[in-house]
């Protein structure tokens, strides 16, 4: 009886054609790229994302909101802080797209200028969660045992 671990070490015999000569390798199938470099995890994800229309729609909105937050004066000429009581509670119009609040401030301008604070809060909370969660994960992974159980249950609560 033969050892199954040596079965992979045995090479296949060369096939000979009808004339007694060796046949060349068939090569890659038609339409395949020869010697294509395999993609990594990031490259594979990017390859899939590029073909998804929802990715491009959401990326466009994200870029638009970041540009609005960085350069709010490009999107509005209204003053978000100072108002005129004569415009108090005036509805939407061509002068104020979202209307005016009780103190006569332009709500559209306030929305555009407020996007900066929202984006900063989102970025800081994401970075804080990444740092805190990463540190906690490293501690639980290194210590294990009771520390891992305790911190896992604490993370489940949150």
């Amino acid at each position: 009886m033969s050892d199954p671990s040596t079965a992979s070490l045995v090479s296949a015999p060369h096939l000979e054609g009808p004339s007694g000569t060796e046949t060349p390798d068939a090569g890659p199938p038609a339409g395949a790229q020869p010697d294509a470099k395999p993609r990594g995890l990031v490259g594979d994800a990017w390859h899939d994302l590029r073909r998804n229309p929802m990715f491009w729609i959401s990326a466009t909105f994200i870029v638009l909101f970041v540009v609005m937050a960085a350069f709010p004066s490009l999107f509005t000429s209204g003053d978000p802080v100072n108002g005129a009581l004569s415009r108090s509670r005036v509805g939407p119009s061509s002068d104020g797209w979202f209307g005016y609040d009780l103190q006569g401030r332009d709500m559209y301008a306030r929305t555009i200028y407020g996007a900066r604070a929202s984006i900063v809060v989102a970025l800081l909370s994401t970075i804080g969660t990444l740092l805190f969660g990463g540190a906690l994960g490293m501690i639980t992974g290194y210590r294990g045992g009771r520390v891992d159980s305790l911190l896992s249950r604490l993370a489940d609560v949150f």
Side-chain angles (χ1 to χ4, degrees), residues 1-151:
M1 182 175 255
S2 66
D3 184 19
S5 63
T6 60
S8 63
L9 300 176
V10 178
S11 62
H14 292 289
L15 299 175
E16 294 185 8
S19 64
T21 61
E22 291 185 12
T23 57
D25 289 338
Q33 297 177 357
D35 299 329
K37 184 178 175 185
R39 291 188 299 257
L41 186 61
V42 174
D44 196 29
W46 177 243
H47 183 264
D48 290 342
L49 279 176
R50 283 188 310 192
R51 285 160 177 67
N52 189 351
M54 288 306 294
F55 166 74
W56 290 112
I57 293 169
S58 60
T60 302
F61 276 117
I62 290 171
V63 168
L64 176 69
F65 291 140
V66 168
V67 170
M68 273 186 186
F71 308 105
S73 61
L74 293 176
F75 295 92
T76 183
S77 60
D79 186 10
V81 179
N82 299 321
L85 289 177
S86 62
R87 296 184 301 209
S88 179
R89 304 195 72 174
V90 173
S93 64
S94 61
D95 291 335
W97 287 6
F98 293 174
Y100 295 92
D101 64 1
L102 186 63
Q103 296 176 345
R105 298 176 294 192
D106 185 5
M107 292 302 293
Y108 177 72
R110 292 179 62 78
T111 303
I112 298 297
Y113 278 89
R116 180 178 294 162
S118 297
I119 289 175
V120 168
V121 166
L123 287 176
L124 289 178
S125 65
T126 302
I127 291 169
T129 302
L130 179 71
L131 293 176
F132 182 71
L136 210 59
M138 285 189 279
I139 291 170
T140 58
Y142 180 74
R143 298 293 296 174
R146 290 183 179 168
V147 174
D148 183 22
S149 296
L150 176 69
L151 290 177

